[in-house]
Amino acid sequence: MGAAARSALASAGRAANEAVSLVVFVLLDALEVLLCVVYKVADYVAEGAWRPCYCSRSAPAAAAAGATGKIVVSERGGSKVVSMLSSTKLHLEDISDTLYERPSVLACAAASASASGSGSGASKRRPAGVAVHSAIVQMLRGKIGVGGGKHRPYPSPRWSDCHCANCNPADTGRLFVHVEAPQGGVGGGAAPEEDVLFIHGFISSSGFWTETVLPHVSPSARSRRRLFAVDLLGFGRSPKPADSLYTLREHVEMIERSVIERHGVRSFHIVAHSLGSILALALAVKYPAAVRSLTLVAPPYFPVPRGEVGTQYVLRTVAPRRVWPPIAFGASVACWYEHLSRTVSIVLCKHHRLWELAFRVFTLYRVRTYLMDGFFCHTHIASWHTLHNIICGSAGKIDKCLEVVRDQLTCDVTVYHGGDDELLPVQCSHAVKAKVPRAQVRVIDGKDHVTIVVGRQKDLARELEEIWDRRR
């Protein structure tokens, strides 16, 4: 087949993908409207309150935070006052507008046609100030008990969440942390020279590291270091508060409280996968003198073109609303459809123990299920808000973090990426290199978003030890 024929075939394939995608996602838009009504009724019956959702087309509210610690919200001529959550120091700027600004496929097509017709492709200007959807306001009011019975706090767990002990730990103030200390290093032994913090990615858990890399860390490396692997807020065996907005600030503060402060961490290396790379950068910026090395695996970094709204650009890039490849379809359903993704969460996460048992029986108990444990052990509120507020909402923050790492930190920066990663392209890691020239990028051929770690854990453990030893 000649080059011209291959090009024509590829063009035809792209056109077919776009046509089928348009039909499929228009149908999903309609299904989302129906599910919105279904869940409002179900929440009212099960929880005794109408729960807000982000698919509402009502205009966002304009908000301002005053020095008194109050959030003053004006919406449709009225005003409300919501107390600032001092326990988490929640800032409204941490909330991504992609939570409530996700236009339908037809709306996007009409806007694109209008922009083309006017000869201007510039993004719509946003009003000054902070935009806050009414659902966020109601969630905050319910959390702090403002408004009497009108704004009932969310029960935790909710009716649509799993109620097992693993998903609902007794200690709700700290993350679950897997700790491996040098023998004799706890309770009277010599203190470790330094520590290593492992951070997993989206809909995963500490098992992503404890079942792969940590068992292959050499005795010599273990004798000098403590190894920490966390379950992030809302995932694995960590707390999953139904009234949290799972912002970058909340995730970082929970890591600080559960690892750095609780265990007296002073000098540490960070190893992070995917979404965890964003948290790793935030920690590095907050503790520039303590971080010895920074290892990012498949970081979700998308430089935003001039004139684009960063959050919306990342949303469209990560979730392009295409049916092919399948991973793009899955990401699109997870990112664009609040109620459809909640349905998936109910089917998979609420009944995760049944699915895990079925998988073990089907494989005759020969396959370890740690990836399934991480994939299933979360709630829809946790995954939905983390996805938008961390990956999409951090579009501009990553640039600033990388600039600080480049200009103010001296630690080694190493970036790994799978050459066959279809979820986050290799260009993400090359973009990190462009921002931080001293970063070393290692592209591993034949590996994807997961197998960049799983399946090459022995090699990665050895390479990590070499990185750690360079900073001794």
Side-chain angles (χ1 to χ4, degrees):
M1 183 182 294
R6 285 195 298 270
S7 177
L9 188 61
S11 298
R14 285 192 294 269
N17 191 18
E18 291 182 5
V20 173
S21 298
L22 177 63
V23 174
V24 169
F25 283 97
V26 165
L27 293 175
L28 292 180
D29 286 341
L31 178 59
E32 180 76 353
V33 174
L34 175 62
L35 288 174
C36 177
V37 177
V38 170
Y39 281 121
K40 282 190 181 297
V41 173
D43 287 342
Y44 183 79
V45 170
E47 301 173 357
W50 295 106
R51 297 302 182 184
C53 64
Y54 295 112
C55 66
S56 169
R57 294 298 184 264
S58 61
T68 61
K70 304 285 187 180
I71 303 174
V72 182
V73 180
S74 300
E75 185 177 20
R76 295 183 176 179
S79 64
K80 306 172 184 176
V81 177
V82 181
S83 296
M84 185 70 80
L85 303 179
S86 58
S87 61
T88 57
K89 299 179 182 177
L90 176 65
H91 289 186
L92 295 179
E93 292 84 350
D94 294 335
I95 299 171
S96 173
D97 63 352
T98 57
L99 284 168
Y100 49 82
E101 289 192 13
R102 288 168 285 107
S104 66
V105 173
L106 293 180
C108 286
S112 178
S114 175
S116 299
S118 64
S120 173
S123 301
K124 181 175 68 174
R125 280 177 164 264
R126 298 185 183 277
V130 181
V132 185
H133 194 272
S134 58
I136 296 172
V137 175
Q138 292 187 46
M139 181 177 287
L140 297 181
R141 288 170 66 89
K143 180 170 183 176
I144 61 178
V146 176
K150 184 178 179 182
H151 301 284
R152 295 188 182 183
Y154 283 86
S156 186
R158 300 188 68 185
W159 68 268
S160 53
D161 299 334
C162 176
H163 287 62
C164 76
N166 275 348
C167 290
N168 298 276
D171 186 355
T172 60
R174 286 192 291 246
L175 303 177
F176 171 82
V177 183
H178 174 92
V179 185
E180 295 187 10
Q183 291 187 356
V186 175
E193 297 175 10
E194 57 190 14
D195 299 311
V196 184
L197 173 60
F198 290 84
I199 308 176
H200 65 78
F202 186 57
I203 55 173
S204 186
S205 73
S206 56
F208 184 81
W209 298 112
T210 62
E211 299 292 331
T212 58
V213 173
L214 266 64
H216 296 286
V217 175
S218 69
S220 173
R222 289 174 178 275
S223 68
R224 302 189 304 273
R225 302 177 179 94
R226 287 181 298 182
L227 308 178
F228 297 94
V230 301
D231 284 352
L232 294 177
L233 181 66
F235 298 89
R237 285 169 281 180
S238 285
K240 303 168 182 64
D243 53 9
S244 173
L245 288 165
Y246 296 89
T247 62
L248 179 64
R249 188 182 307 273
E250 289 175 285
H251 277 288
V252 170
E253 287 184 350
M254 282 295 279
I255 294 175
E256 289 179 297
R257 184 185 314 156
S258 307
V259 181
I260 296 176
E261 296 173 2
R262 185 180 185 186
H263 296 277
V265 173
R266 302 232 185 310
S267 174
F268 61 105
H269 303 267
I270 306 179
V271 182
H273 175 247
S274 191
L275 173 142
S277 300
I278 301 174
L279 306 180
L281 288 169
L283 281 168
V285 168
K286 197 163 187 179
Y287 296 93
V291 175
R292 306 294 299 276
S293 71
L294 196 56
T295 303
L296 310 178
V297 184
Y301 174 49
F302 299 92
V304 180
R306 186 182 300 274
E308 289 275 5
V309 177
T311 53
Q312 296 292 327
Y313 174 78
V314 173
L315 174 63
R316 296 193 306 270
T317 304
V318 173
R321 285 196 284 197
R322 292 288 182 268
V323 296
W324 191 265
I327 197 167
F329 178 72
S332 298
V333 170
C335 291
W336 287 91
Y337 299 105
E338 178 182 359
H339 302 293
L340 184 56
S341 61
R342 185 180 181 186
T343 303
V344 174
S345 182
I346 290 174
V347 172
L348 297 180
C349 301
K350 183 178 175 65
H351 304 96
H352 70 89
R353 289 171 296 178
L354 176 61
W355 293 113
E356 290 162 5
L357 176 61
F359 182 80
R360 290 189 182 104
V361 171
F362 180 77
T363 60
L364 301 178
Y365 292 81
R366 289 179 298 191
V367 179
R368 304 178 77 174
T369 61
Y370 63 91
L371 290 178
M372 293 181 65
D373 295 340
F375 186 79
F376 289 148
C377 291
H378 62 88
T379 66
H380 177 252
I381 282 183
S383 58
W384 178 258
H385 287 86
T386 298
L387 176 63
H388 284 276
N389 286 336
I390 304 298
I391 292 184
C392 298
S394 299
K397 299 184 181 72
I398 300 180
D399 274 316
K400 296 176 182 177
C401 287
L402 288 172
E403 289 170 3
V404 173
V405 170
R406 178 192 64 201
D407 299 333
Q408 300 180 25
L409 275 70
T410 59
C411 65
D412 287 345
V413 180
T414 308
V415 187
Y416 287 89
H417 217 111
D420 294 341
D421 194 334
E422 291 186 328
L423 181 62
L424 298 175
V426 176
Q427 286 76 10
C428 291
S429 289
H430 290 313
V432 172
K433 170 73 173 179
K435 200 74 174 179
V436 184
R438 74 174 184 277
Q440 297 184 22
V441 177
R442 301 180 182 179
V443 178
I444 311 299
D445 294 333
K447 301 299 180 182
D448 59 25
H449 195 67
V450 174
T451 58
I452 185 65
V453 174
V454 179
R456 66 177 305 270
Q457 50 262 36
K458 291 183 180 180
D459 292 337
L460 182 57
R462 186 186 67 254
E463 292 160 4
L464 288 175
E465 290 184 34
E466 292 174 358
I467 293 171
W468 303 336
D469 287 339
R470 284 204 300 266
R471 302 299 299 181
R472 289 185 62 190

